[in-house]
Amino acid sequence: MQSAEINRRFLAYFESRGHTVVPSASLISDDPTLLLVPAGMVPLKPYFLLEQTPPWPRATSIQKCVRTPDIDVVGTTTRHLTFFQMAGNFSFGDYFKDQAIPMAWELLTSSVEDGGFGFDPERLWATIFFDDDEAFSLWTDVVGLPPERVQRRGMEDNFWSMGVPGPCGPCSEIYFDRGPEYGKEGGPIADEDRYLEVWNLVFMQYVRGAGQSKDDFPILGELPAKNIDTGLGVERMAALLQGVDNVYETDLLRPILDLAGRLTGVTYNADHAQDVRLRVIADHTRTATMIVGDGVTPSNEGRGYVLRRMLRRVIRNARLLGADGPVMRELVQQALDVMTPSYPELADQAARILAVVVAEEESFAQTLRSGTLRFENAAAEATGSGSTLLDGARAFELHDTYGFPIDLTLEMAADAGLTVDEEGFRRLMAQQRQAAKQDAYDKKAGGTDVSAYRDLVDATGPSLFTGYEAVTGEATVRGLLAGGVGVPAAGAGDEIELVLDRTPFYAEAGGQIADAGFIRLASGAVVEVLDVQRPVPGLVVHRGVVRKGEVTVGDQALAEVDVPRRMSISRAHTATHLLHQALRKALGETATQAGSYNAPGRLRFDFASPTAVVPSVLHDIEDEVNAVLIEDLEVRAFVTTQEEARRIGAMALFGEKYGDQVRVVEVGDYARELCGGTHAGSSAQLGLVKLLGESSIGAGVRRVDALVGLDAFRYLAREHVLVSQVSESLKLHSAEELPERIAALTGRLRDAERELDRLRAAAVLRAAPDLARGAADIDGVAVVTHAAGSVSADDVRKLAVDVRGRLDAGRPGVAAVIGLAGDKPVLVVAVNEAARGRGLKAGELVRLGAGVLGGGGGGKDDLAQGGGTDPSAVEEALAALRQRIGQAAGG
């Protein structure tokens, strides 16, 4: 049974039993403490935690999941995956164990012809929590499982919680007996390789308190409504139903694995070390494809870092297996072929996904070249100082600054006879990741413990946003926080977070920055609102300063949004929709949004594109957007179902999470998107849109900056004044003559610079005869060491080679020249054949001298180049070279 059919059957079964089919949420988690969704129930946490009211009493989904802690383990086993699919059925106070257990059994054991999975009931086992007699009775008396095939286990195995105070409860796991060839008898408690877990049924019925470990916490009581949360691993189910030994041999991964073998000339199951690399390639290719599909692009932090690491591990392992050219396009296309039957939306994203991964592969090829050189410099410094240890900070610099993988650093260090301070490297990596995670957390939560916000939601209920219809409104103060702690009151000068029962203030979301304004209290107190965030679902938090008076919980208030600022932001947001549509028309459907920023009078729009947008096309896009403004199209927003939104062609941005009811924003018939932001009333209200330029911000991602309305007009007015001033200075009759005149001037300037370079080089080389005649004799070696002053690196190289050529060819000779290119010293060493016969090598001498200069370098035995950062050490470096030459010649 193919995996797509497993998914279809699972959803169809539970839909026929009253469950609402919920599409998989994006892999990008709403939870600020998570980079990516790691489990099937995560998108539903707000319902289980009672932060939001569930829109349905029972639901079912196939959720995409990524577990990043398994990255290093992947491939070394046949069980661990980074990406997997979790099928689940959920009840929010509707049904409980008495229905969950029989439904799971029926789906597993019903025949394939009847829509089930066709498992032999005689090969299924169950485990339950040790004192869950109710579950035991359901398994034995209702389902009919023999009592000896129902095993009791403790809290570590069969009791579930989120690891924090909140819902918890016992669980029951279903296992399949693969047969005696896979291990010993005795059920799951005896051997979990033979008895493979198929499904976990969680019975949320209690509330837990804080504890010291996974199985050490108090049970505070029962939940007011009992819930069901189940998880069935699709990959593991596929392995069983397809009769293969492990998940890598299923239809979800074997095609990618086999292609990797063909691209590298390696056969799977022939060598363990090669098998590990092939499994890494297969797993990471599929995971990267799904992550890029949800809108993540490679970067050096957060989700982008996880993605970049996986892509580079694929490329690195392919090269180690023998691939001598690009592999990502073919591998990712295979992953798309595998996953599109279950996720049809991937077909629309395919071109963008391929563009992103191919661009990253090309970038990494350059990284490998430059990183190798920098590693060699670092290794030379270590050995030059007599050490066999490569410092953890240098390994981290190679990784963080130059993208050089740590596993590659470890391998190359071993080849050079060095070890790496891995502990120091890991410590710096942990600090970087924690900082990245904290940055994201602090933005949403302001450094406050999220539980404080959850307590507010529990106590006050969700905040009602009224800002679509109004920019002012009466409200009641429901909560105050100062320094991350709830307080009853706050006085003038205090920085606070304030929660209202209803608010017209827009909280930052969807690329649109937050509103600002004032909250005026009936008592006369005034709070200036500087930022607005939603740290947890349903709660709007106003951050600001008490400008006068005292604010207390329960006060009546008047919330006033800064209207001119809001209107300016709204115009920018509407312009973003128009720009998005114009880009797609000009560049194709793959030019999808990858991020945006809407601020007063200006916008930033990121989109997928493997190449730059040429100026003429950008000009046409700007013209089209402004033509739409002149048409004065009505901007309309309305709420509808996801299905209807898709039917009318509304764009849904990848990476965004949408509920069953979605808000659609239309600009006439020109643009139609799902959007929760605020907008202008018509396109004419935007006035003018001016694109400032286009640039790259990462592999396969471009950025356009633009001004809107008065800001655009003022920019053009300033440009006009500047052009007029330049035209007048050049005595031109009209501004149209400027390009030709400037081209002529720059051409003459380039000619003059080339002539200066020629004269400077000639002046430098004129010193060569005198330098050669004045060569010092060091133990029979003619040595020239010269500080050339401010010259180009090319001139330094030419002088060193010229001097070497003027030395007596029959006598050992070395020429070492240091020049200052800008403020950075550049060192070139040239060694003749006779000197090389005495053991003098240019590369070794350059590494020594460049090290004194605070840098590194390398090259061949006859000619080498390096540089540094300390111009004050030039004479010291030349002296060190003379000393080393003397030691080598004398030895």
Side-chain angles (χ1 to χ4, degrees):
M1 186 180 295
Q2 296 294 290
S3 299
E5 176 62 13
I6 294 172
N7 292 349
R8 189 200 66 76
R9 283 175 181 254
F10 188 93
L11 296 177
Y13 175 85
F14 283 103
E15 185 177 28
S16 70
R17 285 151 182 79
H19 293 68
T20 299
V21 175
V22 180
S24 173
S26 166
L27 284 168
I28 301 174
S29 175
D30 286 342
D31 189 332
T33 65
L34 297 173
L35 289 179
L36 298 159
V37 170
M41 60 79 63
V42 166
L44 305 176
K45 274 175 58 177
Y47 308 137
F48 288 125
L49 292 172
L50 305 179
E51 294 173 350
Q52 294 180 9
T53 301
W56 350 263
R58 53 177 72 182
T60 184
S61 70
I62 309 290
Q63 176 60 44
K64 299 176 289 187
C65 304
V66 170
R67 287 187 182 163
T68 55
D70 290 341
I71 289 178
D72 291 322
V73 182
V74 164
T76 60
T77 74
T78 55
R79 294 185 294 109
H80 287 88
L81 299 171
T82 51
F83 174 86
F84 58 96
Q85 303 165 85
M86 188 60 70
N89 59 288
F90 311 96
S91 167
F92 307 100
D94 185 17
Y95 63 84
F96 202 49
K97 299 178 194 178
D98 58 332
Q99 293 186 55
I101 289 175
M103 282 193 292
W105 181 261
E106 181 181 28
L107 177 57
L108 287 175
T109 59
S110 293
S111 69
V112 172
E113 293 75 17
D114 291 336
F117 290 130
F119 278 91
D120 179 357
E122 299 302 316
R123 300 179 69 176
L124 293 176
W125 292 61
T127 62
I128 60 173
F129 186 51
F130 76 95
D131 68 353
D132 192 350
D133 294 332
E134 180 185 3
F136 183 84
S137 176
L138 288 168
W139 279 117
T140 55
D141 298 338
V142 177
V143 168
L145 201 60
E148 62 271 18
R149 296 218 308 270
V150 181
Q151 298 183 324
R152 297 178 185 261
R153 308 183 83 167
M155 291 191 73
E156 183 175 351
D157 296 299
N158 277 70
F159 199 93
W160 176 92
S161 80
M162 294 184 189
V164 295
C168 65
C171 60
S172 180
E173 296 172 327
I174 306 173
Y175 290 79
F176 176 76
D177 180 2
R178 296 199 290 168
E181 64 271 28
Y182 289 94
K184 60 185 178 182
E185 294 184 2
I189 61 173
D191 190 336
E192 289 198 11
D193 285 328
R194 171 175 171 173
Y195 300 88
L196 197 67
E197 181 191 337
V198 175
W199 205 339
N200 186 14
L201 315 178
V202 175
F203 312 127
M204 291 189 205
Q205 61 187 103
Y206 302 117
V207 178
R208 60 156 284 186
Q212 302 300 315
S213 66
K214 181 178 178 179
D215 55 2
D216 179 19
F217 50 81
I219 300 298
L220 305 180
E222 293 204 349
L223 285 170
K226 298 176 180 179
N227 305 316
I228 290 293
D229 160 28
T230 84
L232 176 148
V234 174
E235 280 74 11
R236 187 170 291 184
M237 177 66 73
L240 294 174
L241 293 179
Q242 292 170 20
V244 296
D245 282 343
N246 61 71
V247 294
Y248 286 95
E249 298 178 4
T250 67
D251 64 323
L252 290 168
L253 286 163
R254 187 60 188 253
I256 310 172
L257 190 150
D258 288 341
L259 175 59
R262 292 194 296 274
L263 292 173
T264 58
V266 171
T267 302
Y268 188 59
N269 279 334
D271 176 85
H272 175 70
Q274 292 180 343
D275 288 352
V276 169
R277 296 194 186 281
L278 287 172
R279 289 195 288 263
V280 169
I281 292 172
D283 172 86
H284 286 8
T285 296
R286 185 175 71 137
T287 303
T289 300
M290 302 305 293
I291 292 176
V292 176
D294 274 356
V296 180
T297 54
S299 68
N300 287 331
E301 59 183 25
R303 304 178 187 97
Y305 169 77
V306 172
L307 172 60
R308 171 161 284 167
R309 184 182 176 199
M310 288 189 183
L311 288 172
R312 294 189 168 187
R313 289 192 75 189
V314 171
I315 299 163
R316 169 67 178 152
N317 277 282
R319 292 200 174 198
L320 288 173
L321 288 175
D324 56 2
V327 296
M328 288 310 310
R329 180 179 293 279
E330 292 182 72
L331 288 171
V332 169
Q333 184 59 64
Q334 183 68 70
L336 287 167
D337 293 344
V338 166
M339 299 306 295
T340 298
S342 293
Y343 302 94
E345 64 272 15
L346 287 173
D348 297 331
Q349 301 290 342
R352 181 185 61 82
I353 295 169
L354 288 168
V356 169
V357 298
V358 168
E360 180 66 14
E361 183 171 32
E362 292 171 351
S363 171
F364 189 45
Q366 176 59 36
T367 295
L368 284 173
R369 288 191 292 270
S370 61
T372 299
L373 176 60
R374 295 182 184 280
F375 170 83
E376 289 174 350
N377 292 339
E381 289 178 26
T383 55
S385 64
S387 174
T388 60
L389 180 70
L390 187 68
D391 184 69
R394 291 305 298 271
F396 178 74
E397 180 189 22
L398 281 167
H399 168 86
D400 189 52
T401 305
Y402 304 107
F404 214 53
I406 183 61
D407 58 344
L408 184 53
T409 299
L410 291 169
E411 290 174 18
M412 293 179 66
D415 291 342
L418 298 172
T419 56
V420 179
D421 176 15
E422 288 190 69
E423 183 179 346
F425 172 83
R426 305 288 178 197
R427 183 174 61 253
L428 291 168
M429 281 295 298
Q431 290 172 3
Q432 183 201 56
R433 289 175 182 168
Q434 182 59 37
K437 182 182 263 190
Q438 194 65 38
D439 284 345
Y441 170 81
D442 286 346
K443 178 62 178 173
K444 288 290 183 186
T448 303
D449 186 346
V450 173
S451 63
Y453 298 122
R454 288 181 176 149
D455 290 344
L456 270 176
V457 173
D458 292 342
T460 67
S463 309
L464 176 65
F465 175 61
T466 61
Y468 293 137
E469 301 82 22
V471 289
T472 63
E474 295 181 351
T476 302
V477 178
R478 288 289 180 83
L480 283 174
L481 289 147
V485 179
V487 294
D494 289 346
E495 295 183 3
I496 63 167
E497 294 178 304
L498 184 148
V499 175
L500 301 174
D501 62 337
R502 52 197 298 118
T503 178
F505 283 87
Y506 183 84
E508 180 181 352
Q512 179 174 330
I513 69 170
D515 280 334
F518 292 91
I519 297 174
R520 305 182 190 278
L521 287 304
S523 63
V526 176
V527 177
E528 183 179 4
V529 177
L530 304 174
D531 186 26
V532 189
Q533 295 289 333
R534 291 181 183 267
V536 296
L539 189 72
V540 176
V541 174
H542 307 77
R543 294 179 181 150
V545 179
V546 182
R547 294 302 181 195
K548 71 172 185 177
E550 183 180 61
V551 183
T552 60
V553 175
D555 278 352
Q556 296 304 299
L558 179 65
E560 299 176 343
V561 173
D562 182 336
V563 175
R565 184 175 181 276
R566 156 75 80 84
M567 292 176 66
S568 187
I569 297 170
S570 298
R571 288 192 291 267
H573 201 156
T574 304
T576 298
H577 286 215
L578 299 180
L579 177 59
H580 189 188
Q581 179 63 20
L583 280 164
R584 286 166 66 91
K585 288 180 68 175
L587 305 178
E589 296 297 305
T590 60
T592 49
Q593 182 172 337
S596 66
Y597 177 77
N598 301 298
R602 64 188 307 117
L603 65 90
R604 186 176 68 220
F605 186 79
D606 302 337
F607 60 99
S609 177
T611 59
V613 182
V614 298
S616 60
V617 174
L618 202 62
H619 181 268
D620 291 343
I621 290 169
E622 182 181 80
D623 272 358
E624 175 159 332
V625 170
N626 282 292
V628 173
L629 307 193
I630 295 173
E631 293 179 23
D632 194 19
L633 301 179
E634 179 188 6
V635 179
R636 188 170 77 97
F638 58 93
V639 176
T640 185
T641 64
Q642 274 206 51
E643 182 179 355
E644 176 63 14
R646 284 193 294 269
R647 189 191 68 77
I648 63 177
M651 278 193 289
L653 305 184
F654 54 80
E656 292 292 325
K657 180 181 178 182
Y658 302 106
D660 288 342
Q661 296 291 305
V662 295
R663 184 171 184 261
V664 178
V665 175
E666 295 179 330
V667 184
D669 289 328
Y670 183 77
R672 183 177 291 116
E673 292 188 23
L674 305 191
C675 182
T678 62
H679 290 271
S682 72
S683 62
Q685 291 180 7
L686 274 59
L688 179 68
V689 175
K690 176 60 186 172
L691 305 188
L692 300 179
E694 184 262 9
S695 60
S696 170
I697 61 167
V701 183
R702 312 293 299 182
R703 170 172 292 171
V704 171
D705 288 281
L707 298 174
V708 183
L710 276 175
D711 291 84
F713 172 78
R714 289 167 181 154
Y715 171 83
L716 291 175
R718 289 193 301 271
E719 291 286 293
H720 177 72
V721 171
L722 288 172
V723 169
S724 298
Q725 290 175 342
V726 174
S727 299
E728 185 177 346
S729 298
L730 296 175
K731 308 298 183 185
L732 301 180
H733 296 294
S734 68
E736 283 74 17
E737 299 176 45
L738 262 179
E740 184 178 351
R741 178 63 65 84
I742 290 174
L745 287 173
T746 54
R748 286 159 56 187
L749 181 60
R750 281 195 298 269
D751 291 341
E753 288 174 342
R754 280 194 290 267
E755 180 62 16
L756 283 173
D757 287 342
R758 187 187 67 79
L759 293 172
R760 185 172 56 248
V764 170
L765 292 175
R766 276 199 297 271
D770 291 340
L771 290 172
R773 282 193 295 270
D777 183 287
I778 301 179
D779 285 329
V781 179
V783 178
V784 175
T785 54
H786 176 61
S790 296
V791 293
S792 70
D794 188 50
D795 289 343
V796 173
R797 188 181 186 91
K798 288 178 180 176
L799 180 58
V801 172
D802 195 354
V803 170
R804 178 185 63 182
R806 295 176 183 274
L807 297 174
D808 183 356
R811 179 186 178 193
V814 177
V817 180
I818 299 177
L820 296 178
D823 60 347
K824 298 292 180 64
V826 176
L827 166 65
V828 175
V829 176
V831 178
N832 68 12
E833 186 176 353
R836 296 197 297 277
R838 293 278 295 272
L840 293 167
K841 297 179 181 180
E844 293 179 357
L845 292 172
V846 157
R847 282 192 284 271
L848 168 66
V852 175
L853 295 170
K860 298 180 180 179
D861 290 348
D862 63 331
L863 185 66
Q865 180 173 326
T869 58
D870 184 4
S872 67
V874 169
E875 291 301 332
E876 182 183 351
L878 294 174
L881 289 173
R882 291 191 292 269
Q883 182 180 4
R884 177 62 63 86
I885 292 168
Q887 292 170 347

